[in-house]
C-alpha cells in the first residue's frame, strides 16, 4: 500500500468546548433535517464535548419528550451514519424544549433561568451558542430580547456566541441593518454567519489544492487560464412548500450572493498571510471587492441571463413549470435560473471571464468549478484531429467529490492520433469513508471558536453590493432585461449558451 505522507498532517485546531446550543426555530425543517442530525453524527463519532446540550426554542407548545420523538423520527431517515438507538437515547437525554414566541420578553427571561437551572443541575461549562434558524423576519426580535435577558454577554470565562442562518438580508440595506443589530448584541468575534458551502470538504480542499501543491499556483493566473466555469445544478424544484420563500428570493439571492461567490472567492483569492480566520477572510473579501460592477441595466443585459423553467420532465417524472409550482405567484418575475459572466479586475485575473450558472429543475444535482487552461501553441499537431486541446482542471464540489485533470494523450497504435483523457482523484476511493456533512464541521468550529469558515460582515455586504446592481436592473429599471425560459429537465435556456458562445466558449457537459 502506498502511504500518503500528508494524510496524517493536521493543523492543530482548538478543541470544541461543551456548551448549550439554543436553536431558535426549533420545529423547522433545518433543525430536523440538518442541525440535529449533524449534532447526532458528531456524537456518534465521539466528538461531541461531554456536557453539551440542545435547547429548542419555538412557538408551538410541546414537551421535551414530544420534541425528542419528532427529532428521532427524522434523524432515522436522514442521518449520515444511520440511527443507533443506544447512541440516540444518550444524545436525546440532553435535548430540551422551550416554548415561547420570538417577541415575548418573558420567554427569554424564562430561557435564561432554564439555562442556569440546566447548568446547575447537570453541570456543563456554561457556554452558550445561540443558533438563529427561524424565519429571518424574527432575527431582530430574537437579538434584541437575547440582549434584554442578558444572554448575549460573555461571563467570566464563559462565552456566548451566535450563529446566523441564511438568508442574511435580502439586499445590502437589510444586510447592513441586520449587521447593525448584531453588532450591538454580540462582538464580531462571537458572530458566526453560516454559509454551509464553506463547510463542504471539497470547498475546504480548494485552499489545500492551491497552496499545499507546488504545481498549480504558478499557473493560477491570466497568463495560463483562459476562463473559469462554476456550475451549480439542481434537479429539485419547489417541493415541500419551498416556493413561498423562493419566489421572494430567486436564484441570484438564494445561491449566488452567498454560496457561489464564496466558492469563487476561495478559488480566486491571493494566498492568505496565514490560516487565521481573518487572514483567510481578508484574502476572500479582496476578490469580492475586485468584482467588476454591473454599472447599468445594459451591462446586466449583456452579462446576465435569468430564466424560469416551463413544464417538462426530470428523472423521468413530469413536473410543472415554475409559475405553476405550489406557492409561486402565477405571474412571478423571479428567476429559477441565472447565468453570469463576471470579471475580477485585479492583477491576477485581468481578462479572464468567470462564468457562473445556477438553476433549479436541471437534469441532475451537481456543483463543480472547472478551470480551463489556455491551449498549447497550435504548431506541431495542428493537422491532427483532437477532441479538444484544452486542459481542464475540475473541482467537483458534489456529488462524487474529487478533482480531475483533463489532458490530451496519444491513442496507442502506429498512427499519431490523440484524444482527451482524464486523471481523476475521488474522495470515496482515496479516503474510503464518507465526508462529514457541512453542518457537522461548522457546528464544531463554532463550538471551538474558529470563524474561518464563516462569512465576515464585510464579505456579506460587499457581495450584496454587487448583487443589488443586478436586482436593481431586473426589477427597477425602465427597460429590464428579459426573462428567458427553459424546459424543466434541460440544461437551461439557449440565451445562457449564447452568453458563452459570444466569447467562443461552451458550457461544460456534466
Ligand atoms: C440552500 C438554498 O442554501 O442551498 C437551496 O437555499 C439549495 O435553494 C441548497 O437547494 C443547496 O444546498 P446543497 O448543500 O444541497 O447543495
Amino acid at each position: 500500500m502506498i502511504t500518503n505522507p500528508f494524510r496524517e498532517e493536521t493543523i492543530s485546531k482548538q478543541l470544541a468546548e461543551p456548551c448549550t446550543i439554543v436553536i431558535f426555530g426549533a420545529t423547522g425543517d433545518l433543525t430536523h433535517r440538518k442541525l440535529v442530525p449533524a449534532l447526532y453524527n458528531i456524537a456518534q463519532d465521539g466528538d461531541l464535548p461531554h456536557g453539551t446540550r440542545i435547547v429548542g426554542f419555538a412557538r408551538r407548545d410541546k414537551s421535551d419528550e414530544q420534541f425528542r420523538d419528532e427529532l428521532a423520527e427524522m434523524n432515522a431517515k436522514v442521518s449520515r451514519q444511520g440511527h443507533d438507538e443506544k447512541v440516540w437515547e444518550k444524545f436525546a437525554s440532553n435535548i430540551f424544549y422551550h416554548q415561547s414566541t420570538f417577541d415575548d420578553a418573558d420567554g427569554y427571561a424564562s430561557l435564561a433561568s432554564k439555562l442556569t437551572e440546566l447548568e446547575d443541575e447537570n453541570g456543563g461549562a456554561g457556554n452558550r451558542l445561540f443558533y438563529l434558524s427561524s424565519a429571518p423576519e424574527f432575527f431582530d426580535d430574537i437579538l434584541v430580547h437575547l440582549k434584554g435577558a442578558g444572554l448575549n454577554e460573555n461571563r467570566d470565562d464563559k462565552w456566548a456566541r451566535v450563529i446566523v442562518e441564511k438568508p442574511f438580508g435580502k439586499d445590502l440595506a437589510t444586510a447592513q441593518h441586520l449587521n447593525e443589530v448584531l453588532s450591538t448584541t454580540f462582538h464580531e468575534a462571537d458572530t458566526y454567519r453560516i454559509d454551509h458551502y464553506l463547510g463542504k470538504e471539497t470547498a475546504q480542499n480548494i485552499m489545500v489544492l492551491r497552496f499545499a501543491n507546488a504545481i498549480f499556483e504558478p499557473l493560477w493566473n491570466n497568463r495560463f487560464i483562459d476562463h473559469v466555469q462554476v456550475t451549480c445544478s439542481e434537479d429539485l424544484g419547489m417541493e415541500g412548500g419551498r416556493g413561498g420563500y423562493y419566489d421572494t428570493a430567486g436564484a441570484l439571492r438564494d445561491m449566488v450572493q452567498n454560496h457561489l461567490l464564496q466558492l469563487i472567492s476561495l478559488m480566486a483569492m491571493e494566498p492568505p498571510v496565514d490560516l487565521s480566520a481573518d487572514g483567510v477572510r481578508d484574502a476572500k473579501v479582496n476578490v469580492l471587492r475586485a468584482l467588476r460592477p454591473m454599472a447599468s441595466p445594459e451591462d446586466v443585459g449583456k452579462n446576465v441571463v435569468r430564466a424560469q423553467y416551463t413544464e417538462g420532465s426530470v428523472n423521468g417524472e413530469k413536473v410543472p413549470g415554475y409559475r405553476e409550482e405550489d406557492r409561486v405567484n402565477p405571474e412571478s418575475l423571479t428567476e429559477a435560473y441565472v447565468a453570469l459572466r463576471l470579471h475580477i479586475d485585479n492583477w491576477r485575473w485581468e481578462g479572464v471571464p468567470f462564468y457562473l450558472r445556477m438553476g433549479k429543475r436541471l437534469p441532475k444535482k451537481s456543483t463543480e468549478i472547472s478551470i480551463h487552461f489556455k491551449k498549447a501553441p497550435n504548431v506541431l499537431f495542428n493537422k491532427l484531429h483532437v477532441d479538444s486541446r484544452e486542459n481542464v482542471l475540475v473541482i467537483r464540489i458534489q456529488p462524487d467529490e474529487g478533482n480531475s485533470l483533463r489532458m490530451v494523450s496519444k491513442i496507442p497504435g502506429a498512427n499519431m492520433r490523440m484524444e482527451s483523457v482524464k486523471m481523476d482523484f475521488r474522495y470515496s476511493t482515496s479516503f474510503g469513508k464518507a465526508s462529514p456533512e457541512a453542518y457537522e464541521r461548522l457546528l464544531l468550529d463554532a463550538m471551538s471558536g474558529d470563524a474561518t469558515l464563516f462569512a465576515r460582515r464585510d464579505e456579506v455586504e460587499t457581495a450584496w453590493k454587487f448583487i443589488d446592481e443586478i436586482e436593481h436592473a431586473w426589477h427597477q429599471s425602465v427597460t429590464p432585461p428579459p426573462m428567458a425560459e427553459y424546459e424543466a429537465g434541460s440544461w437551461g435556456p439557449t440565451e445562457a449558451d449564447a452568453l458563452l458562445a459570444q466569447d467562443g466558449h461552451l458550457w461544460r457537459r456534466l
Side-chain angles (χ1 to χ4, degrees):
M1 196 178 95
I2 302 170
T3 55
N4 177 349
F6 298 109
R7 192 168 287 181
E8 301 304 326
E9 206 172 86
T10 51
I11 293 170
S12 70
K13 285 179 64 79
Q14 270 176 288
L15 284 181
E17 295 174 62
C19 60
T20 302
I21 305 171
V22 182
I23 305 178
F24 293 93
T27 50
D29 215 38
L30 188 78
T31 307
H32 284 68
R33 282 182 184 278
K34 296 286 182 192
L35 304 184
V36 170
L39 290 162
Y40 166 82
N41 277 282
I42 297 173
Q44 185 155 345
D45 286 340
D47 291 334
L48 195 67
H50 182 71
T52 299
R53 61 180 75 83
I54 302 168
V55 174
F57 184 116
R59 287 168 287 186
R60 278 173 237 162
D61 196 21
K62 64 180 75 192
S63 66
D64 292 343
E65 274 318 315
Q66 264 174 310
F67 185 47
R68 291 172 189 167
D69 289 349
E70 287 167 11
L71 295 173
E73 199 184 325
M74 181 57 85
N75 192 61
K77 286 189 200 145
V78 302
S79 159
R80 173 172 70 86
Q81 306 182 97
H83 181 89
D84 179 324
E85 212 29 71
K86 252 179 136 173
V87 180
W88 175 264
E89 239 171 67
K90 185 154 178 263
F91 171 74
S93 65
N94 286 309
I95 300 181
F96 305 89
Y97 187 76
H98 185 75
Q99 189 275 326
S100 168
T101 56
F102 297 123
D103 59 356
D104 177 8
D106 292 345
Y108 294 79
S110 54
L111 173 69
S113 325
K114 181 172 206 148
L115 295 181
T116 314
E117 223 170 85
L118 286 171
E119 285 154 6
D120 288 350
E121 268 173 30
N122 308 318
N127 299 317
R128 288 145 185 191
L129 180 59
F130 298 100
Y131 199 120
L132 272 50
S133 110
S134 65
E137 59 265 31
F138 300 115
F139 288 178
D140 276 18
D141 270 343
I142 297 171
L143 290 167
V144 167
H145 289 302
L146 280 175
K147 188 174 178 180
L151 285 165
N152 59 325
E153 280 160 22
N154 292 322
R155 298 152 296 134
D156 306 322
D157 57 344
K158 317 277 184 259
W159 47 256
R161 297 181 186 145
V162 65
I163 301 184
V164 188
E165 242 321 314
K166 69 176 281 263
F168 198 95
K170 58 181 173 49
D171 53 21
L172 177 60
T174 49
Q176 279 172 329
H177 169 81
L178 180 53
N179 275 328
E180 275 313 308
V181 182
L182 271 166
S183 71
T184 56
T185 318
F186 289 91
H187 300 287
E188 177 65 26
D190 294 320
T191 304
Y192 294 75
R193 298 172 191 80
I194 206 159
D195 185 315
H196 77 278
Y197 266 57
L198 291 178
K200 291 185 191 280
E201 276 296 336
T202 37
Q204 294 167 49
N205 196 38
I206 296 174
M207 275 212 283
V208 178
L209 176 81
R210 290 188 56 192
F211 305 127
N213 294 293
I215 59 171
F216 297 116
E217 206 47 27
L219 307 180
W220 214 262
N221 56 52
N222 57 4
R223 288 175 56 209
F224 298 98
I225 293 179
D226 181 76
H227 71 279
V228 177
Q229 298 186 14
V230 181
T231 298
C232 176
S233 69
E234 293 191 40
D235 48 358
L236 290 181
M238 300 294 124
E239 295 83 349
R242 211 176 145 65
Y245 150 73
Y246 197 84
D247 204 36
T248 63
L252 190 67
R253 287 187 173 122
D254 183 50
M255 294 284 291
V256 179
Q257 184 272 339
N258 36 58
H259 309 325
L260 297 198
L261 288 184
Q262 284 289 343
L263 288 182
I264 288 199
S265 303
L266 286 171
M267 185 274 152
M269 70 184 183
E270 296 304 311
V273 286
D274 56 30
L275 290 178
S276 66
D278 279 333
V280 173
R281 296 187 297 181
D282 286 344
K284 283 197 299 155
V285 78
N286 281 338
V287 174
L288 299 173
R289 286 206 192 106
L291 285 175
R292 186 181 300 168
M294 304 262 180
S296 65
E298 290 71 44
D299 267 359
V300 173
K302 254 193 275 164
N303 293 300
V304 188
V305 172
R306 57 174 172 161
Q308 293 176 337
Y309 51 86
T310 55
E311 74 173 342
S313 88
V314 179
N315 301 324
E317 265 184 41
K318 270 190 82 78
V319 294
Y322 178 69
R323 290 181 176 188
E324 288 86 60
E325 292 270 23
D326 183 27
R327 304 201 204 174
V328 170
N329 177 352
E331 289 170 17
S332 170
L333 286 177
T334 301
E335 76 291 353
Y337 176 102
V338 64
L340 304 94
R341 172 175 36 221
L342 308 178
H343 287 277
I344 299 172
D345 283 335
N346 65 14
W347 188 271
R348 186 188 284 263
W349 296 114
E350 199 270 330
V352 179
F354 283 68
Y355 304 105
L356 264 67
R357 60 179 163 163
M358 186 293 129
K360 300 277 185 196
R361 288 281 193 235
L362 299 180
K364 62 175 181 181
K365 182 163 174 72
S366 175
T367 305
E368 63 157 55
I369 303 174
S370 56
I371 294 132
H372 300 245
F373 290 90
K374 290 190 171 158
K375 292 183 181 172
N378 199 20
V379 288
L380 295 179
F381 300 114
N382 49 350
K383 304 231 166 55
L384 304 170
H385 170 73
V386 182
D387 271 6
S388 161
R389 291 276 172 80
E390 228 176 29
N391 295 118
V392 184
L393 175 66
V394 180
I395 301 173
R396 291 190 304 272
I397 304 290
Q398 64 185 21
D400 188 20
E401 289 83 353
N403 304 327
S404 66
L405 182 61
R406 206 167 73 185
M407 60 187 86
V408 178
S409 184
K410 179 179 172 302
I411 302 175
N415 297 330
M416 178 56 93
R417 289 191 306 129
M418 296 186 284
E419 199 174 283
S420 206
V421 295
K422 203 163 77 171
M423 255 167 66
D424 208 0
F425 148 63
R426 294 189 137 86
Y427 275 71
S428 54
T429 34
S430 297
F431 297 114
K433 60 173 189 178
S435 304
E437 283 271 334
Y439 278 100
E440 294 175 35
R441 168 67 198 262
L442 295 173
L443 281 160
L444 277 174
D445 279 3
M447 290 163 79
S448 59
D450 181 352
T452 314
L453 300 178
F454 294 82
R456 204 170 55 187
R457 176 176 186 158
D458 52 351
E459 287 181 87
V460 171
E461 294 185 4
T462 313
W464 271 124
K465 194 165 164 228
F466 176 75
I467 295 294
D468 269 8
E469 289 173 331
I470 303 173
E471 292 285 347
H472 189 273
W474 284 349
H475 300 293
Q476 283 161 44
S477 77
V478 275
T479 49
M483 177 73 75
E485 284 185 349
Y486 61 104
E487 192 180 324
S490 72
W491 274 109
T494 51
E495 288 83 344
D497 298 336
L499 184 72
L500 267 69
Q502 288 161 10
D503 302 340
H505 301 310
L506 288 173
W507 288 109
R508 236 175 74 76
R509 257 191 317 189
L510 298 176

